[in-house]
Amino acid sequence: MSFDRKIKIAPSILAADFANFGAECQAIEAQGADWVHVDVMDGHFVPNITFGPATCAAIRPHVQGVMDVHLMIAPVDPYVEAFANAGADVITAHVEAGPHIHRTLQAIRGAGAKAGVALNPGTPAGAVAELMDMVDLICVMTVNPGFGGQKFIDMTAKIRALRGMIGDRPIHIEIDGGVDPSTAPLVVQAGADVLVAGSAVFKGGSVSHPDAYGSNIRAIREAAEGVWT
Ligand code: DX5
Ligand code: ZN
């Protein structure tokens, strides 16, 4: 997985057909997705439950690019190896998930994956100040995690602060929640390069009508890249 700051669209399969993940992953990649974002929820750290490492392992052969696993679970450490063994390229843990995020990030890199840290909307940029040399990705939540389809919360000041803290380190800034063609330019202007989108990618499409995924992905990408033209 090489590093660059080009815009990457990462559809969240939280908005896909749960009975058809393999075909859904193939369809979004064929329609221009850069990464596949996989939301793991435990009904404890967040109020919703999705799936665990076995499902990630089942999805893996259907994803050619980056499998980006977002862990909304607590505790994290007992499961890091299982998600790495399931083939996650990036494993992101929440800074709020426990007192030992430093240890968690060490464990993620130690298991051979890229390490991500996520911040809830109520958590300031400074919470990751001591972690800058241990992370490959910082995920700024623009909704309170747990559900797709929520309204975007403006975190542009936090994104700008993080962009300044990162300097020239090879760290992605990922935005998760409420990203669509109207909000994408705001976060890209502030310094984001990875855009997670669930409902805005999957709306109007299906594995038998995947063209809508393609036009939805293009609409987000064009709006985001429009910032630079
Ligand atoms: C929220 C998840 C997101 C979510 C995004 O807890 O982490 O990845 O699926 O969905 P949309 O794009 O619909 O806000
Ligand atoms: Zn997510």
Side-chain angles (χ1 to χ4, degrees):
M1 205 187 137
S2 61
F3 182 85
D4 65 59
R5 287 198 193 284
K6 282 189 295 216
I7 303 297
K8 288 162 282 293
I9 311 294
S12 163
I13 59 165
L14 188 62
D17 175 1
F18 271 43
N20 216 356
F21 278 143
E24 290 277 39
C25 290
Q26 290 172 4
I28 53 177
E29 284 196 329
Q31 294 293 326
D34 300 291
W35 292 11
V36 174
H37 184 84
V38 181
D39 284 310
V40 175
M41 304 185 186
D42 67 352
H44 167 73
F45 178 69
V46 289
N48 196 6
I49 301 177
T50 55
F51 46 75
T55 305
C56 292
I59 291 167
R60 179 71 262 189
H62 303 280
V63 177
Q64 288 176 29
V66 171
M67 186 160 102
D68 175 33
V69 176
H70 178 192
L71 299 181
M72 287 161 276
I73 66 174
V76 180
D77 296 11
Y79 304 102
V80 165
E81 209 170 300
F83 285 104
N85 290 341
D89 295 293
V90 182
I91 300 177
T92 297
H94 271 259
V95 71
E96 307 86 0
H100 299 299
I101 186 68
H102 191 283
R103 178 186 289 152
T104 302
L105 295 168
Q106 283 178 325
I108 294 172
R109 281 191 169 172
K114 298 283 185 191
V117 64
L119 292 87
N120 281 336
T123 303
V128 296
E130 302 301 325
L131 307 173
M132 286 293 162
D133 293 314
M134 320 187 54
V135 294
D136 304 289
L137 176 148
I138 301 173
C139 174
V140 177
M141 295 304 303
T142 40
V143 295
N144 287 296
F147 303 95
Q150 302 184 80
K151 193 176 170 329
F152 176 84
I153 303 168
D154 188 347
M155 291 281 130
T156 45
K158 191 197 291 189
I159 298 165
R160 267 181 232 288
L162 289 166
R163 189 67 196 85
M165 289 161 68
I166 287 170
D168 53 17
R169 293 178 181 87
I171 300 176
H172 298 290
I173 298 185
E174 175 178 77
I175 308 303
D176 191 359
V179 173
D180 64 20
S182 71
T183 55
L186 303 173
V187 297
V188 168
Q189 188 117 49
D193 63 298
V194 183
L195 304 180
V196 175
S199 23
V201 166
F202 285 91
K203 69 165 190 216
S206 68
V207 290
S208 44
H209 296 99
D211 292 4
Y213 297 164
S215 48
N216 291 339
I217 289 170
R218 273 193 302 282
I220 299 168
R221 195 189 301 284
E222 280 164 20
E225 288 176 346
V227 167
W228 308 124
T229 55

